[in-house]
Every structure is written in structure tokens, then in C-alpha cells.
Amino acid sequence: MTFSNTISLEKSPSNIKISVLEKEINLPDEIKSKVNQYWETINRQNTFSRGEVFTVHQIQEDENDLFITLIHTDYTHFLYSRKMELSAEYDCTVVYPATLVLTSDQHLVYGHMNEGTANPDRIQLVAGGLDKNDLEEGHINIHKNIIREIQEELGINLTKIMCLSPLSPWLIKRGGQSLVLINRVTIDLTSQEVKEIHKHYYSKGEHPEFKRVETIPFNTTGLNRLLLSDYRKADYINPLCIYLLEQLKEK
């Protein structure tokens, strides 16, 4: 599976299915040795856990359907692949959902990643990797993953609040070393309420991946401010800002 370095956004197909095979990626001994050495170097203080990660094995698609098959690897391989250039056969290409959360007063919600994560202080939407908790009879439950990540990162239980527009697939980010399934939802909470909920969640001793939640007006001024921000960002943030700015122009 070869992925382009060019980031692009496109409309999501109506039917997305992700299956996971009981199969591990077969890395040559030479690469395994380098991966292990890299892990020992970066994890001397036992900051990270060498947990399970799913990597893309095969993608089949047409106009209305996207079928993704994943196989098993681990977090060490994932981190190593982000730092070192590997051939497509041995690269770790992940799939994960991200969610554009809009508030009732039309603000876009994003966060700054916490210390101790792989990308401290990076800006991103609510998003999280797929894991075994998302598996149901060999298939990934994307909806379940998104609800969990919104709870873990914002402290908001999506099943217990009113949604002004339903959680639904929206865009796909291609390119780089990930395939991002971007969803969207509008919640019946103001931007200030979202920040207060996260602050309270954080103060209870929870350790969400977002150390700080930000909101911007969902308009030209707000999107341009995010686009021009000097903070390091997930690779889909700037293309998404540009996409949304173009959508606003067309209205």
C-alpha cells in the first residue's frame, strides 16, 4: 500500500467498513532490531507503552464504498515509521477517525495535545487511534470509537447530550502516513460550556490527551486565525481550514 505525501481532502463515501485480520505485519529481522533500538532510546523513562496498533493491509473502494483491511503491529513500529523512511511494504500506515465538533453558538472545537503524548502541544480535532475496544466480530465500530474519544478528550458524553446535527461521516484525508476519516457533529453546548466541562474534567485528576481546549468562531476570521497559527498541527488541519473557507465563499 503506497500513500502519497500530498495531503488531500475528499467527500466521504456513504459506506465505510473496516475489518481487522488476525495477522501481524512481517518485519525483517534487521528492521525489527532497529525498531527495538529506537524504542530503548526514546523510552528510557518509560513514558510510553508498547501497545497494539493496526496498520493498513489493503484498501478497496468505489464511488459509494470504502473497504479497509487492517493487520496488527505495535506502537514502537508506529513511532519508528514516523521518524525513519521505510518502504511501503514495511511502513505503518494508520487509519483513525477525527471529529469536527461544532458548538451551539457556531464555534469549532480543537485541542492542544498533552505532554507525555507522541505529539505534545500539537493542535488537532478530537481524534484517536483504533484499538481492540473498537472491534466487534472482526470489524471496527467507528461510531463507538468517536464517542469514546469525545468522552476521553473533552469529558463530554455524546450519548447524554442533545446533538443539533447527528454524528456523521463527512470527509476523508488522504496522504502522509495516515488515512483520516473526518466526521462532524453539532452539540447543544456553547463554546464556553465545552471549555468549562473540559476544565472540570481535567481538575478531577483525569489525564485527557488534550491539555487545553480551544474554540474559534466558525467563520472566515476564525478559520484564518487557525490557519495562520504558528502551533504545530495535525496534517489535516490546514487543508481543512482551506476547504471550509472555500465552502463559506460559496454560500
Side-chain angles (χ1 to χ4, degrees):
M1 175 59 57
T2 301
F3 276 64
S4 167
N5 288 325
T6 303
I7 305 300
S8 64
L9 295 176
E10 61 188 55
K11 288 287 187 180
S12 174
S14 55
N15 181 39
I16 301 175
K17 289 188 178 179
I18 305 176
S19 60
V20 181
L21 301 180
E22 287 303 316
K23 174 181 178 180
E24 292 188 10
I25 191 167
N26 186 20
L27 298 176
D29 290 340
E30 180 182 0
I31 295 180
K32 283 182 182 177
S33 177
K34 290 179 179 179
V35 168
N36 289 332
Q37 289 172 12
Y38 178 71
W39 180 251
E40 290 175 3
T41 299
I42 66 169
N43 202 37
R44 288 173 180 164
Q45 297 181 344
N46 293 318
T47 303
F48 305 114
S49 172
R50 197 165 181 167
E52 187 176 52
V53 172
F54 301 133
T55 183
V56 172
H57 177 62
Q58 187 178 40
I59 292 179
Q60 296 176 301
E61 59 186 313
D62 56 33
E63 185 177 348
N64 299 311
D65 304 293
L66 175 62
F67 301 117
I68 304 169
T69 305
L70 307 176
I71 56 177
H72 298 257
T73 186
D74 66 21
Y75 191 58
T76 313
H77 176 215
F78 168 79
L79 290 179
Y80 183 82
S81 72
R82 292 302 180 269
K83 299 294 182 182
M84 309 296 176
E85 187 172 341
L86 294 173
S87 65
E89 183 180 3
Y90 304 123
D91 201 7
C92 181
T93 303
V94 296
V95 178
Y96 65 90
T99 305
L100 177 71
V101 177
L102 284 175
T103 63
S104 59
D105 54 347
Q106 290 297 289
H107 281 64
L108 183 154
V109 179
Y110 64 92
H112 295 257
M113 295 295 283
N114 220 330
E115 306 302 327
T117 65
N119 297 286
D121 216 32
R122 187 180 76 171
I123 287 175
Q124 66 176 55
L125 301 180
V126 174
L130 305 173
D131 62 35
K132 63 183 179 182
N133 294 312
D134 303 315
L135 274 173
E136 295 180 355
E137 298 182 349
H139 291 83
I140 294 291
N141 185 327
I142 299 173
H143 195 269
K144 180 180 178 181
N145 172 277
I146 293 169
I147 289 174
R148 184 182 74 242
E149 293 301 328
I150 290 176
Q151 172 70 59
E152 290 181 354
E153 295 182 1
L154 299 180
I156 294 171
N157 187 334
L158 204 62
T159 66
K160 293 185 177 180
I161 64 169
M162 181 181 293
C163 293
L164 303 179
S165 69
L167 175 64
S168 57
W170 180 36
L171 300 170
I172 292 181
K173 186 232 80 171
R174 298 181 188 268
Q177 293 175 300
S178 62
L179 183 70
V180 183
L181 310 175
I182 303 177
N183 297 261
R184 60 181 173 181
V185 65
T186 304
I187 57 177
D188 191 20
L189 293 169
T190 66
S191 57
Q192 187 60 39
E193 286 172 332
V194 168
K195 290 180 182 179
E196 288 174 356
I197 289 171
H198 179 266
K199 185 177 179 180
H200 177 67
Y201 180 59
Y202 209 104
S203 70
K204 292 195 303 180
E206 302 290 345
H207 299 284
E209 290 192 347
F210 284 166
K211 67 179 180 181
R212 187 167 76 256
V213 166
E214 303 279 3
T215 63
I216 57 166
F218 187 52
N219 57 29
T220 301
T221 301
L223 290 168
N224 273 316
R225 191 172 77 214
L226 179 57
L227 179 63
L228 298 174
S229 167
D230 291 332
Y231 282 103
R232 192 161 59 95
K233 306 165 194 168
D235 63 1
Y236 56 81
I237 291 291
N238 282 354
L240 180 59
C241 288
I242 292 169
Y243 177 88
L244 292 171
L245 285 166
E246 291 174 350
Q247 295 292 304
L248 289 174
K249 284 182 183 177
E250 294 175 2
K251 289 186 177 180

